[in-house]
Amino acid sequence: MEPLPTPCPAHLVPDVTGVGDFSTVYQQAQAQHAVFIAIEGQGPRWTVKADTLTAGPEHVVEDTVNDAARDSVIRLVEAGEVRSDAYAGPVYFVLHGVASENRARELAAALHAALYGDLEPLKAALPGKT
C-alpha cells in the first residue's frame, strides 16, 4: 500500500471494512509516523476513525485544534449527522452513523487535515456551511 499524503484527500481515505483491513492500515500509519484515518462501512451507515498516536510523540495537536475538532463533532451530533456515541479526542476520534460513504470520506479528510493543523476543511464540512 502506498503511503497516504498528509493531510489525506477524501478520495484516498482508506476503507477498512472487512477482516484485517483496519489492522493493516493502522500498522501502516504507525510505520509512516502518520495520523491514522479511515472509514468503515457498518451496515447502511459509515464510521470515521482517526488516531493521532500512530504519528508518534513528535506529532503534537495543539489544544486549539483539539477544541475545534471536539466542537465540530458536537455540532455534527446536534445536526444528527453522527450518533451521540461519537468519541471526540483528544487522541482518538470515532464518528458513528454517517449516512453515506461520500460524506464519511469528506468528514474523514476534513478531520485529518485538522489533526495536521488546518481547520478550514473541517469548518467547511460542518452542517450549515457552504
Coordinates of all heavy atoms in Angstrom, one line a residue, residues 72-126:
S72 N -16.6 20.6 16.6 CA -17.2 20.2 15.3 C -17.9 18.9 15.5 O -19.0 18.7 14.9 CB -16.0 20.0 14.3 OG -15.4 21.2 14.0
V73 N -17.4 17.9 16.3 CA -18.1 16.7 16.5 C -19.4 16.9 17.2 O -20.5 16.3 16.9 CB -17.2 15.7 17.3 CG1 -18.0 14.4 17.7 CG2 -16.0 15.3 16.4
I74 N -19.4 17.8 18.2 CA -20.6 18.2 18.9 C -21.7 18.7 17.9 O -22.9 18.3 17.9 CB -20.4 19.1 20.0 CG1 -19.6 18.4 21.1 CG2 -21.6 19.8 20.6 CD1 -19.0 19.3 22.2
R75 N -21.2 19.6 17.0 CA -22.2 20.1 16.0 C -22.7 19.1 15.1 O -23.9 19.1 14.7 CB -21.5 21.2 15.2 CG -21.3 22.5 16.0 CD -20.8 23.7 15.2 NE -21.7 23.9 14.0 CZ -21.3 24.8 13.1 NH1 -20.2 25.4 13.1 NH2 -22.1 25.0 12.0
L76 N -21.9 18.1 14.7 CA -22.3 17.0 13.9 C -23.4 16.1 14.6 O -24.3 15.7 14.0 CB -21.1 16.2 13.4 CG -20.2 16.9 12.4 CD1 -18.9 16.1 12.3 CD2 -20.9 17.0 11.0
V77 N -23.1 15.9 15.9 CA -24.1 15.2 16.7 C -25.4 15.9 16.8 O -26.5 15.4 16.5 CB -23.5 14.8 18.1 CG1 -24.6 14.3 19.0 CG2 -22.4 13.8 18.0
E78 N -25.3 17.2 17.1 CA -26.5 18.0 17.2 C -27.3 18.1 15.9 O -28.6 18.2 15.9 CB -26.2 19.4 17.7 CG -25.7 19.5 19.1 CD -25.2 20.8 19.5 OE1 -24.9 21.7 18.7 OE2 -25.0 21.0 20.8
A79 N -26.6 18.0 14.8 CA -27.3 18.1 13.5 C -27.8 16.7 13.1 O -28.5 16.6 12.0 CB -26.3 18.6 12.4
G80 N -27.5 15.7 13.8 CA -28.0 14.3 13.5 C -27.2 13.6 12.4 O -27.6 12.6 11.9
E81 N -26.0 14.2 12.1 CA -25.1 13.6 11.1 C -24.3 12.4 11.6 O -23.9 11.5 10.9 CB -24.2 14.6 10.5 CG -24.9 15.5 9.5 CD -24.0 16.0 8.5 OE1 -23.3 15.2 7.8 OE2 -24.0 17.3 8.3
V82 N -24.0 12.4 12.9 CA -23.3 11.3 13.6 C -24.1 11.0 14.9 O -24.8 11.8 15.4 CB -21.8 11.6 13.8 CG1 -21.1 11.9 12.5 CG2 -21.6 12.7 14.8
R83 N -23.9 9.8 15.3 CA -24.6 9.3 16.5 C -24.0 10.0 17.8 O -22.8 10.5 17.8 CB -24.5 7.8 16.7 CG -25.3 7.1 15.7 CD -25.4 5.6 15.9 NE -24.3 5.0 16.7 CZ -23.7 3.8 16.5 NH1 -24.1 3.1 15.4 NH2 -22.8 3.3 17.2
S84 N -24.8 10.0 18.8 CA -24.4 10.7 20.1 C -23.2 9.9 20.8 O -22.6 10.5 21.7 CB -25.6 10.8 21.0 OG -26.1 9.6 21.4
D85 N -22.9 8.7 20.4 CA -21.8 8.0 21.0 C -20.5 8.3 20.3 O -19.5 7.6 20.5 CB -22.1 6.5 21.0 CG -22.2 5.8 19.7 OD1 -22.4 6.6 18.7 OD2 -22.3 4.6 19.6
A86 N -20.4 9.4 19.5 CA -19.2 9.8 18.9 C -18.1 10.0 19.9 O -18.4 10.5 21.0 CB -19.4 11.0 18.1
Y87 N -16.9 9.7 19.6 CA -15.8 9.9 20.5 C -14.9 11.1 19.9 O -14.5 11.0 18.8 CB -14.9 8.7 20.7 CG -14.0 8.8 21.9 CD1 -14.4 8.6 23.2 CD2 -12.7 9.1 21.6 CE1 -13.5 8.7 24.2 CE2 -11.8 9.2 22.7 CZ -12.2 9.0 24.0 OH -11.4 9.2 25.0
A88 N -14.8 12.2 20.7 CA -14.2 13.4 20.2 C -12.8 13.7 20.8 O -12.6 14.8 21.4 CB -15.1 14.5 20.4
G89 N -11.9 12.8 20.7 CA -10.5 13.1 21.0 C -10.2 13.2 22.5 O -11.1 12.8 23.3
P90 N -9.1 13.7 22.9 CA -8.1 14.4 22.1 C -7.2 13.6 21.2 O -6.5 14.1 20.4 CB -7.3 15.2 23.1 CG -7.3 14.3 24.3 CD -8.6 13.6 24.3
V91 N -7.1 12.3 21.5 CA -6.2 11.4 20.8 C -6.9 10.6 19.7 O -6.4 10.4 18.6 CB -5.4 10.5 21.7 CG1 -4.5 9.5 21.0 CG2 -4.6 11.3 22.7
Y92 N -8.1 10.1 20.0 CA -8.8 9.1 19.2 C -10.2 9.7 18.9 O -10.8 10.3 19.8 CB -8.9 7.8 19.9 CG -9.5 6.7 19.2 CD1 -8.8 6.2 18.1 CD2 -10.7 6.1 19.5 CE1 -9.3 5.1 17.3 CE2 -11.2 5.0 18.8 CZ -10.5 4.5 17.7 OH -10.9 3.5 17.0
F93 N -10.6 9.7 17.6 CA -11.9 10.2 17.2 C -12.6 9.1 16.5 O -12.1 8.4 15.6 CB -11.7 11.4 16.2 CG -11.0 12.5 16.8 CD1 -9.6 12.6 17.0 CD2 -11.7 13.6 17.3 CE1 -9.0 13.6 17.6 CE2 -11.1 14.7 17.8 CZ -9.7 14.7 18.0
V94 N -13.9 8.9 16.8 CA -14.8 8.0 16.1 C -16.1 8.6 15.9 O -16.8 9.1 16.8 CB -15.0 6.7 16.9 CG1 -15.9 5.7 16.2 CG2 -13.7 6.0 17.3
L95 N -16.6 8.7 14.7 CA -17.9 9.3 14.3 C -18.7 8.2 13.7 O -18.5 7.8 12.6 CB -17.7 10.4 13.3 CG -16.6 11.4 13.6 CD1 -16.5 12.4 12.5 CD2 -16.9 12.1 14.9
H96 N -19.7 7.7 14.5 CA -20.6 6.6 14.1 C -21.8 7.2 13.4 O -22.3 8.2 13.7 CB -21.0 5.8 15.3 CG -20.0 5.0 16.0 ND1 -19.4 3.9 15.5 CD2 -19.4 5.3 17.2 CE1 -18.5 3.5 16.3 NE2 -18.5 4.3 17.4
G97 N -22.4 6.4 12.4 CA -23.7 6.7 11.9 C -23.7 7.7 10.8 O -24.8 8.3 10.5
V98 N -22.6 7.9 10.1 CA -22.6 8.8 8.9 C -23.4 8.1 7.8 O -23.3 6.9 7.5 CB -21.1 9.1 8.5 CG1 -21.1 10.0 7.3 CG2 -20.3 9.6 9.6
A99 N -24.2 8.9 7.1 CA -25.2 8.4 6.2 C -24.7 7.8 4.9 O -25.3 6.9 4.4 CB -26.2 9.5 5.8
S100 N -23.6 8.3 4.4 CA -23.1 7.8 3.1 C -21.5 7.7 3.1 O -20.9 8.4 3.9 CB -23.5 8.7 2.0 OG -22.8 9.9 2.1
E101 N -21.0 6.9 2.2 CA -19.6 6.8 2.1 C -18.9 8.1 1.7 O -17.9 8.5 2.3 CB -19.2 5.7 1.1 CG -17.7 5.5 0.8 CD -17.4 4.5 -0.2 OE1 -18.3 3.8 -0.7 OE2 -16.2 4.4 -0.5
N102 N -19.6 8.8 0.8 CA -19.0 10.1 0.4 C -18.9 11.1 1.5 O -17.9 11.8 1.7 CB -19.8 10.7 -0.8 CG -19.5 10.0 -2.1 OD1 -18.5 9.3 -2.2 ND2 -20.4 10.2 -3.0
R103 N -20.0 11.2 2.3 CA -20.0 12.1 3.5 C -18.9 11.6 4.5 O -18.2 12.4 5.1 CB -21.3 12.1 4.1 CG -21.4 13.1 5.3 CD -21.1 14.6 4.9 NE -21.5 15.5 6.0 CZ -20.9 16.6 6.2 NH1 -19.9 17.0 5.4 NH2 -21.2 17.4 7.2
A104 N -18.8 10.3 4.7 CA -17.8 9.8 5.6 C -16.4 10.2 5.1 O -15.5 10.6 5.9 CB -17.9 8.3 5.8
R105 N -16.1 10.0 3.9 CA -14.8 10.4 3.3 C -14.6 11.9 3.5 O -13.5 12.3 3.8 CB -14.8 10.1 1.8 CG -14.6 8.6 1.5 CD -14.5 8.3 0.0 NE -14.4 6.9 -0.1 CZ -13.2 6.2 0.1 NH1 -12.2 6.8 0.5 NH2 -13.2 4.9 -0.1
E106 N -15.6 12.7 3.2 CA -15.5 14.2 3.4 C -15.1 14.5 4.8 O -14.2 15.3 5.1 CB -16.8 14.9 3.0 CG -16.7 16.4 3.2 CD -18.1 17.1 3.0 OE1 -19.1 16.4 2.9 OE2 -18.1 18.3 2.8
L107 N -15.8 14.0 5.8 CA -15.6 14.2 7.2 C -14.2 13.7 7.6 O -13.5 14.4 8.4 CB -16.7 13.6 8.1 CG -18.0 14.3 7.9 CD1 -19.1 13.5 8.7 CD2 -18.0 15.7 8.4
A108 N -13.8 12.5 7.1 CA -12.5 12.0 7.5 C -11.4 12.8 7.0 O -10.4 13.1 7.7 CB -12.4 10.5 6.9
A109 N -11.5 13.3 5.7 CA -10.4 14.1 5.1 C -10.4 15.5 5.9 O -9.3 16.0 6.2 CB -10.7 14.4 3.7
A110 N -11.5 16.0 6.3 CA -11.5 17.3 7.0 C -10.9 17.1 8.4 O -10.2 18.0 8.8 CB -13.0 17.8 7.1
L111 N -11.3 16.0 9.1 CA -10.7 15.8 10.4 C -9.2 15.5 10.3 O -8.4 16.0 11.1 CB -11.4 14.5 11.0 CG -10.9 14.1 12.4 CD1 -11.0 15.3 13.4 CD2 -11.7 12.9 12.9
H112 N -8.8 14.8 9.3 CA -7.4 14.5 9.1 C -6.6 15.8 8.9 O -5.5 16.0 9.5 CB -7.2 13.6 7.9 CG -5.9 12.8 7.9 ND1 -4.9 13.0 6.9 CD2 -5.3 12.0 8.8 CE1 -3.9 12.2 7.2 NE2 -4.1 11.6 8.3
A113 N -7.1 16.7 8.1 CA -6.5 18.0 7.9 C -6.4 18.8 9.2 O -5.4 19.4 9.5 CB -7.2 18.8 6.8
A114 N -7.5 18.7 10.0 CA -7.5 19.4 11.2 C -6.4 18.9 12.2 O -5.7 19.7 12.8 CB -8.9 19.3 11.9
L115 N -6.2 17.6 12.2 CA -5.2 17.0 13.1 C -3.8 17.3 12.6 O -2.9 17.0 13.4 CB -5.5 15.5 13.2 CG -6.8 15.2 13.9 CD1 -7.1 13.7 13.9 CD2 -6.9 15.7 15.3
Y116 N -3.7 17.9 11.4 CA -2.4 18.4 11.0 C -2.4 19.9 11.0 O -1.5 20.5 10.4 CB -2.1 17.8 9.5 CG -1.5 16.5 9.6 CD1 -2.3 15.4 9.3 CD2 -0.2 16.3 9.9 CE1 -1.7 14.1 9.4 CE2 0.4 15.0 9.9 CZ -0.4 13.9 9.7 OH 0.1 12.6 9.7
G117 N -3.4 20.5 11.7 CA -3.3 21.9 11.9 C -4.1 22.8 11.0 O -4.2 24.0 11.2
D118 N -4.8 22.2 10.0 CA -5.6 23.0 9.0 C -7.0 22.8 9.3 O -7.6 21.8 9.0 CB -5.3 22.6 7.6 CG -6.0 23.4 6.5 OD1 -6.8 24.3 6.9 OD2 -5.9 23.1 5.3
L119 N -7.6 23.8 10.0 CA -9.0 23.7 10.4 C -10.0 24.1 9.3 O -11.2 23.8 9.5 CB -9.3 24.6 11.6 CG -8.6 24.1 12.9 CD1 -8.7 25.2 14.0 CD2 -9.1 22.8 13.4
E120 N -9.6 24.7 8.3 CA -10.5 25.2 7.2 C -11.4 24.1 6.6 O -12.6 24.3 6.5 CB -9.8 26.0 6.2 CG -9.3 27.3 6.7 CD -10.3 28.2 7.4 OE1 -11.4 28.4 6.9 OE2 -10.0 28.6 8.5
P121 N -10.8 22.9 6.2 CA -11.7 21.9 5.7 C -12.8 21.4 6.7 O -13.9 21.1 6.3 CB -10.7 20.8 5.3 CG -9.4 21.5 5.1 CD -9.4 22.6 6.1
L122 N -12.4 21.3 7.9 CA -13.4 20.9 9.0 C -14.5 21.9 9.1 O -15.7 21.6 9.2 CB -12.7 20.6 10.3 CG -13.5 20.0 11.4 CD1 -14.0 18.6 10.9 CD2 -12.6 19.8 12.6
K123 N -14.1 23.2 9.1 CA -15.1 24.2 9.2 C -16.1 24.2 8.0 O -17.3 24.3 8.2 CB -14.5 25.6 9.3 CG -13.8 25.9 10.6 CD -13.1 27.2 10.5 CE -12.2 27.5 11.7 NZ -11.5 28.8 11.6
A124 N -15.5 24.0 6.8 CA -16.3 23.9 5.6 C -17.2 22.7 5.6 O -18.3 22.7 4.9 CB -15.4 23.9 4.4
A125 N -16.8 21.6 6.3 CA -17.6 20.4 6.2 C -18.8 20.3 7.2 O -19.6 19.4 7.2 CB -16.7 19.2 6.5
L126 N -18.8 21.3 8.1 CA -19.9 21.3 9.1 C -21.3 21.6 8.5 O -21.4 22.4 7.5 CB -19.5 22.3 10.2 CG -18.4 21.9 11.1 CD1 -18.0 23.1 12.0 CD2 -18.6 20.6 11.8

